[in-house]
Amino acid sequence: MHLSSPTPFPANRPRRLRRDAFTRNLVRENRLSAHDFIYPVFVHEGTNRREAIASMPGVERLSLDLLLPVARQCVELEIPYLALFPAIDASLKAPDGKEALNPQGLIPNVVRALKKEFPGLGIMTDVALDPYTSHGQDGILDESGYILNDETVEVLVGQALTHAEAGVDMVAPSDMMDGRIAAIREALETHGHIHTRIMAYSAKYASSFYGPFRDAVGTRGALGKADKNVYQMDPANTDEALREVALDLAEGADMVMVKPGMPYLDVVRRVRDEFKVPTFAYQVSGEYAMLKAAAQNGWLDHDAVMMESLLAFKRAGADGILTYFAIEAARLLRGK
């Protein structure tokens, strides 16, 4: 039977398969589990420091001592990975983002502590300079303010090596510089980090959904009215996403990502169908904030829309989702 000529009614009654819960469970095409989630967290220096992020209800910047119990929850809920994002002191930021190379910096120290305490929990780090630059861009600027590609890649390689030497399981370059995956892969291989995985932000769009994230890592003020259109992708393009993914895979990426998530599910599907490689989507801060705000106002059922939104990523072909809902969703899946 071809979809263009299905068996007609009444021989075919599709509602038969929807009549009861046990049959719906039997024929369900896509399922969510805690193993599908990567939990992004924001970390800052200090002890017993907890700062709420107003634009991301329920999300906080945490010092390492307060992050450890969160990591323990992930282990207990079988969430396989934490993704670390730094919020560093403004005094450490510079035009060249050199703090990103500090082997005793915030992220390397947090990686070491987490891997010591929870060796079975995957740790993923962001490879990008925007949390470290005084101007909030993801790279080094020339005199006109244009982001220099090759000079930025050189720093990104050093940042990735710093994280690998601290024991990270996976680096995730989110900068969208050309050629950075090949340069990072070569450096990792040369320095013996042959098991360090690379999840490439291959199709990262110049989206307006990133605002709350920039609040969380402290880059919104530095960035001001500037944009990232000269390196992040045009939201109008999908063929370009396939070219970017192809390049990153050829350069040595183990996994690829589409970011943002729900507004770009068509891109997720195209990438999955074209390449059939591990494909991830990031349910970004703006997506999370919208659902949280609507639920807090009583306009939407929080748990229902949370789970429906996450299932949409699986239906579109994503192998996994970076989501700030990870712990809440994992608990719900367990019935807790």
Side-chain angles (χ1 to χ4, degrees):
M1 181 181 69
H2 193 272
L3 289 176
S4 63
S5 56
T7 304
F9 176 89
N12 189 350
R13 292 179 180 265
R15 288 184 56 194
R16 291 192 193 104
L17 299 182
R18 305 173 198 149
R19 180 171 173 79
D20 41 62
F22 46 83
T23 305
R24 292 193 298 272
N25 289 339
L26 180 68
V27 300
R28 184 164 294 127
E29 296 175 30
N30 295 283
R31 299 178 190 276
L32 276 172
S33 84
H35 294 167
D36 295 319
F37 303 145
I38 296 174
Y39 187 36
V41 294
F42 300 101
V43 61
H44 58 186
E45 294 281 9
T47 303
N48 197 31
R49 287 187 64 208
R50 182 190 304 273
E51 294 178 357
I53 301 163
S55 55
M56 298 180 71
V59 177
E60 300 172 310
R61 301 180 197 92
L62 300 173
S63 53
L64 174 59
D65 58 317
L66 299 180
L67 180 61
L68 291 174
V70 175
R72 183 173 293 108
Q73 289 181 66
C74 289
V75 171
E76 292 170 353
L77 291 168
E78 298 185 10
I79 296 169
Y81 263 88
L82 275 183
L84 304 180
F85 295 93
I88 70 169
D89 191 89
S91 65
L92 296 174
K93 298 187 179 187
D96 61 2
K98 63 181 179 180
E99 178 63 18
L101 303 179
N102 182 0
Q104 298 303 320
L106 174 61
I107 291 299
N109 284 336
V110 171
V111 169
R112 282 188 285 267
L114 287 171
K115 291 308 297 184
K116 180 180 179 180
E117 189 74 17
F118 305 106
L121 176 64
I123 305 299
M124 169 176 151
T125 53
D126 183 42
V127 175
L129 300 186
D130 53 326
Y132 302 93
T133 56
S134 51
H135 45 72
Q137 294 285 1
D138 294 53
I140 297 171
L141 309 183
D142 67 11
E143 292 180 358
S144 71
Y146 184 76
I147 289 79
L148 296 168
N149 192 90
D150 297 2
E151 292 83 348
T152 297
V153 169
E154 185 177 349
V155 183
L156 296 172
V157 168
Q159 184 184 23
L161 282 175
T162 299
H163 295 178
E165 287 160 6
V168 79
D169 300 290
M170 181 154 58
V171 293
S174 66
D175 55 285
M176 289 299 289
M177 297 299 117
D178 295 336
R180 89 275 203 215
I181 301 301
I184 290 170
R185 173 57 71 204
E186 181 180 4
L188 292 173
E189 291 288 323
T190 299
H191 289 80
H193 300 295
I194 63 171
H195 301 301
T196 306
R197 281 128 280 184
I198 298 176
M199 179 186 289
Y201 285 62
S202 296
K204 181 179 180 180
Y205 286 84
S207 172
S208 298
F209 283 89
Y210 302 148
F213 176 92
R214 291 171 182 165
D215 292 336
V217 297
T219 62
R220 190 197 285 267
L223 193 61
K225 294 183 179 180
D227 58 47
K228 301 188 178 185
N229 294 341
V230 300
Y231 50 100
Q232 294 179 357
M233 285 181 52
D234 186 337
N237 298 349
T238 62
D239 289 343
E240 183 185 9
L242 300 186
R243 294 197 297 273
E244 288 279 9
V245 169
L247 285 167
D248 285 352
L249 291 171
E251 291 177 13
D254 299 291
M255 313 173 194
V256 297
M257 185 202 298
V258 175
K259 181 183 180 183
M262 190 166 289
Y264 296 84
L265 292 181
D266 60 320
V267 181
V268 175
R269 170 50 64 190
R270 288 198 70 189
V271 168
R272 181 66 185 185
D273 287 348
E274 179 72 19
F275 298 102
K276 296 178 174 58
V277 298
T279 302
F280 291 76
Y282 199 142
Q283 186 180 46
V284 299
S285 59
E287 299 172 66
Y288 171 87
M290 288 192 304
L291 294 180
K292 279 288 185 181
Q296 287 179 349
N297 278 283
W299 299 334
L300 293 173
D301 180 320
H302 177 278
D303 289 353
V305 297
M306 172 180 70
M307 300 307 284
E308 186 176 342
S309 70
L310 294 170
L311 186 61
F313 292 106
K314 295 291 289 183
R315 193 180 66 246
D319 293 283
I321 311 121
L322 287 84
T323 177
Y324 304 98
F325 287 119
I327 285 181
E328 292 176 277
R331 284 176 175 161
L332 195 61
L333 288 165
R334 279 200 173 190
K336 291 185 177 182

